[in-house]
């Protein structure tokens, strides 16, 4: 039975949020490339070992320069692919830390054991970089189905290594946040309940501690969209997302306070729009070399049906639920 | 009697008094091109609200109650999702199974936990059958020399 869903713009209008405007820019989220040592089924970046797109030194220097000129950018959030594979990852992270900025590494955990990454965990700890690590479930079966056979046990090793350096341990300033995402066409659980479950199970089964759990919704783009199409779940999933539209979550979507930078320096409203090749709406200033903080801070966000993934239920962002 | 096994199935599960309306329904069904395969159609689940067609007031009261029972209270949403799944199997209701399997996933319940809950339901159903065996034994003893 085909049902016509309201457009995202209509849902925003119903919550008095159309057009969706930025409220400022406090986070620069930089996607340094699509290369990754994994090739997960749900990856919205279509990342993998054979991807070659990668931020070069000139663009990395432009990022550092923008941070230097804009102290209001309090957070540098580095993602990928596996961001640590970019040769300029450590340069950007340590420069930003040198300026006193908060730095986040979106880490897949298995990268810690790749050749050439032997000193990575120590580098992150020495620079007080927040680690946000993917762990789609606290059991091996669901994690491995999504991320590849053996990924769960390697992830456990990675978490234990980070714990041994003080990450996620009470009384240290080393933040280790974990990321849950659903293993299919369904919404994430309540973040607080799931965090308690992760805490209990990871401690009992592996002796692992962590700071917080973020529950994320899978957005219907890239590999996950292909899965939805192949499995005949696309229409139902879209109906579920739009039916769960929450105005409170919509008013807190992450794009209102961040700007996302592509590996070639193009500016986007978020990493998802980046993968959909929808740059920011500010025209000539849509490249890091023309970064105009004033314009970006009050820009109109480019939205589409995929945005329903950020506004369903308790909402979803790179920092978990938002409502 | 309508032709085919489906009609026979309807006849046997409904009692004699209902038989006439079964025949009537069958005719209506044929006109609307509905067959038994349309029972437990998962497209019906999101149409649940249509049950308020004649009495929206009763539907709304029921939905309000239903929603309230599943909110977190002394039990978490997750615990309630597992109870719902077990009951769905005990009843057993295909709609509820579909719905509560999804609710469990969205409450972060593992597949193993769902299977254990289903075994609890099966155990209690089986136990209920067996404990009634004592009724049989009592009935036998009562009239036996
Ligand atoms: S680890 Fe992350 S970037 Fe790499 S394939 Fe998996 S989801 Fe994509
Ligand atoms: S998908 Fe991007 S642009 Fe759309 S609501 Fe989410 S963060 Fe904002």
């Amino acid at each position: 039975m085909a049902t016509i869903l309201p457009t995202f713009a209509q849902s925003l209008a119903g919550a008095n949020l159309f057009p969706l405007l930025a409220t400022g820019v406090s986070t620069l989220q930089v996607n340094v490339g699509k290369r990754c040592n994994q090739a997960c089924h749900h990856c919205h970046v279509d990342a993998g070992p054979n991807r070659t797109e990668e931020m070069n030194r000139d663009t990395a220097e432009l990022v550092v320069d923008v941070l230097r000129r804009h102290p209001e950018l309090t957070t540098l959030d580095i993602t990928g692919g596996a961001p640590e594979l970019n040769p300029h990852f450590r340069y950007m992270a340590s420069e930003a830390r040198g300026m006193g900025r908060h730095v986040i590494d979106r880490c897949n955990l298995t990268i810690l054991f790749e050749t050439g990454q032997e000193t990575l965990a120590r580098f992150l700890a020495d620079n007080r970089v927040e680690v946000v690590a993917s762990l789609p479930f606290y059991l091996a079966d669901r994690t491995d189905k999504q991320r590849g056979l053996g990924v769960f046990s390697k992830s456990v090793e990675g978490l234990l290594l980070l714990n041994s350096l003080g990450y996620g341990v009470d009384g240290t300033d080393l933040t280790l946040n974990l990321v849950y995402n659903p293993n299919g066409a369904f919404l994430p659980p309540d973040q607080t309940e799931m965090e308690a479950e992760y805490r209990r199970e990871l401690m009992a089964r592996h002796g692992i501690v962590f700071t917080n759990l973020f529950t994320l919704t899978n957005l219907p783009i890239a590999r996950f969209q292909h899965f939805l199409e192949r499995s005949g779940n696309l229409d139902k999933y879209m109906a579920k997302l739009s039916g769960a539209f929450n105005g409170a979550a919509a008013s807190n979507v992450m794009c209102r306070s961040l700007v996302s930078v592509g590996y070639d320096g193009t500016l986007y409203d978020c990493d998802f729009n980046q993968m959909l090749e929808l740059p920011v709406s500010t025209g000539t200033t849509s490249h890091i070399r023309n970064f105009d903080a004033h314009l970006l801070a009050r820009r109109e966000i480019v939205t589409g049906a995929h945005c329903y993934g950020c506004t369903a239920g308790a909402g979803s962002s790179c920092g978990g639920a938002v409502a | 009697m309508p032709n085919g096994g489906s009609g026979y199935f309807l006849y046997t599960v409904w009692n004699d008094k209902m038989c006439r309306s079964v025949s009537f329904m069958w005719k209506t069904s044929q006109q609307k091109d509905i067959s038994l395969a349309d029972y437990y159609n998962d497209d019906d689940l999101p149409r649940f609200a249509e049950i308020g067609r004649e009495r929206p007031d009763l539907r709304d009261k029921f939905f309000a109650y239903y929603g309230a029972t599943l909110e977190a209270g002394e039990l978490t949403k997750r615990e309630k999702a597992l109870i719902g799944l077990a009951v769905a199997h005990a009843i057993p209701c295909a709609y509820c199974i579909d719905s509560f399997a999804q609710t469990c996933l969205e409450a972060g319940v593992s597949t193993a936990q769902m299977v254990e809950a289903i075994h609890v339901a099966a155990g209690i159903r089986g136990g209920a059958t067996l404990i009634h065996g004592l009724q049989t034994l009592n009935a036998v003893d009562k009239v036996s020399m």
Side-chain angles (χ1 to χ4, degrees):
Chain A
M1 190 181 46
T3 324
I4 297 173
L5 304 177
T7 64
F8 190 69
Q10 286 170 329
S11 293
L12 282 176
N16 285 324
L17 284 168
F18 187 80
L20 189 65
L21 299 175
T23 51
V25 184
S26 56
T27 296
L28 201 59
Q29 188 176 66
V30 180
N31 191 313
V32 294
K34 301 187 189 231
R35 197 147 63 91
C36 187
N37 57 318
Q38 294 184 186
C40 307
H41 287 314
H42 70 297
C43 183
H44 73 269
V45 183
D46 278 338
N50 299 326
R51 299 300 298 254
T52 52
E53 301 90 330
E54 179 167 86
M55 183 173 280
N56 62 25
R57 179 72 183 199
D58 287 351
T59 311
E61 283 178 7
L62 286 172
V63 168
V64 169
D65 186 50
V66 161
L67 286 173
R68 191 165 289 120
R69 286 189 286 117
H70 295 283
E72 73 275 17
L73 296 171
T74 52
T75 300
L76 172 66
D77 182 340
I78 314 180
T79 185
E84 306 88 345
L85 288 175
N86 182 298
H88 315 298
F89 167 80
R90 295 190 192 196
Y91 157 71
M92 273 190 283
S94 50
E95 287 289 321
R97 287 298 297 136
M99 292 176 225
R101 309 302 165 82
H102 183 66
V103 175
I104 298 172
D105 172 29
R106 297 199 175 265
C107 177
N108 68 16
L109 294 173
T110 59
I111 193 71
L112 295 166
F113 304 105
E114 288 291 303
T115 312
Q117 300 295 335
E118 295 78 6
T119 56
L120 176 59
R122 171 54 64 193
F123 168 84
L124 296 170
D126 287 348
N127 285 278
R128 299 298 187 256
V129 172
E130 173 183 337
V131 173
V132 176
S134 308
L135 192 71
F137 206 55
Y138 59 78
L139 295 174
D141 59 348
R142 277 193 201 165
T143 300
D144 284 0
K145 263 189 198 148
Q146 194 174 111
R147 297 176 78 76
L149 206 62
V151 166
F152 182 79
S153 59
K154 239 183 184 179
S155 302
V156 165
E157 273 180 65
L159 290 171
L160 289 170
L161 171 63
L162 292 170
N163 281 171
S164 73
L165 294 170
Y167 268 105
V169 177
D170 268 351
T172 71
D173 58 351
L174 292 170
T175 305
L176 171 59
N177 291 323
L178 301 184
V179 177
Y180 163 98
N181 70 283
N183 187 37
F186 52 93
L187 295 178
D190 177 88
Q191 187 165 279
T192 313
E193 281 189 18
M194 202 59 198
E195 181 178 292
E197 191 74 7
Y198 262 59
R199 221 178 273 296
R200 187 175 61 241
E201 295 294 330
L202 287 176
M203 171 48 73
R205 292 167 191 263
H206 309 286
I208 288 170
V209 291
F210 61 96
T211 313
N212 288 116
L213 178 77
F214 301 153
T215 54
L216 265 59
T217 302
N218 291 323
L219 262 70
I221 63 172
R223 277 184 204 150
F224 186 65
Q225 183 185 351
H226 300 151
F227 154 76
L228 292 171
E229 283 165 357
R230 271 197 326 272
S231 61
N233 278 303
L234 183 62
D235 290 350
K236 272 192 198 147
Y237 189 66
M238 289 312 296
K240 181 181 274 284
L241 291 183
S242 68
F245 177 84
N246 176 357
S251 70
N252 289 332
V253 282
M254 62 182 173
C255 48
R256 301 191 86 186
S257 59
L258 73 70
V259 166
S260 156
V261 188
Y263 71 91
D264 63 354
T266 307
L267 302 180
Y268 301 89
D269 292 307
C270 69
D271 207 46
F272 304 113
N273 282 8
Q274 187 175 140
M275 298 313 139
L276 294 169
E277 298 178 0
L278 298 168
V280 285
S281 60
T282 48
T284 51
T285 62
S286 68
H287 193 277
I288 187 89
R289 87 173 76 81
N290 305 317
F291 193 91
D292 184 331
H294 187 64
L295 266 185
L296 290 165
R298 51 197 178 87
R299 73 191 188 278
E300 186 176 328
I301 313 273
V302 180
T303 57
H306 62 290
C307 297
Y308 274 125
C310 293
T311 57
S316 179
S317 73
C318 288
V322 294
Chain B
M1 176 65 61
N3 55 351
S6 306
Y8 178 71
F9 174 70
L10 274 179
Y11 179 73
T12 51
V13 293
W14 290 38
N15 63 32
D16 285 341
K17 252 170 134 181
M18 298 294 287
C19 194
R20 275 171 57 185
S21 46
V22 169
S23 317
F24 173 74
M25 271 185 60
W26 187 270
K27 197 166 172 226
T28 314
S29 299
Q30 279 185 325
Q31 282 165 346
K32 286 187 182 166
D33 223 14
I34 294 172
S35 73
L36 258 190
D38 293 304
Y39 280 78
Y40 293 133
N41 181 344
D42 62 0
D43 283 341
D44 286 345
L45 207 47
R47 295 176 53 220
F48 196 2
E50 290 177 30
I51 205 65
R53 191 188 292 174
E54 302 295 335
R55 292 292 304 268
D57 55 328
L58 292 180
R59 185 240 357 241
D60 292 348
K61 281 179 177 147
F62 173 77
F63 279 6
Y65 171 74
Y66 184 88
T69 62
L70 292 172
E71 285 303 321
E74 294 298 317
L75 297 174
T76 62
K77 278 189 177 173
R78 183 188 164 77
E79 288 161 341
K80 290 186 174 188
L82 275 166
I83 293 170
L85 185 73
V87 173
H89 282 81
I91 322 179
C93 165
Y95 291 119
C96 306
I97 289 170
D98 219 30
S99 171
F100 275 91
Q102 186 86 10
T103 307
C104 280
L105 284 171
E106 293 182 352
V109 175
S110 74
T111 316
Q113 288 167 333
M114 287 187 227
V115 170
E116 282 187 21
I118 293 165
H119 279 291
V120 171
I124 292 172
R125 275 185 74 103
T129 303
L130 272 184
I131 188 68
H132 281 82
L134 292 178
Q135 299 283 345
T136 299
L137 296 181
N138 289 345
V140 168
D141 291 346
K142 200 170 170 184
V143 294
S144 299
M145 285 194 286

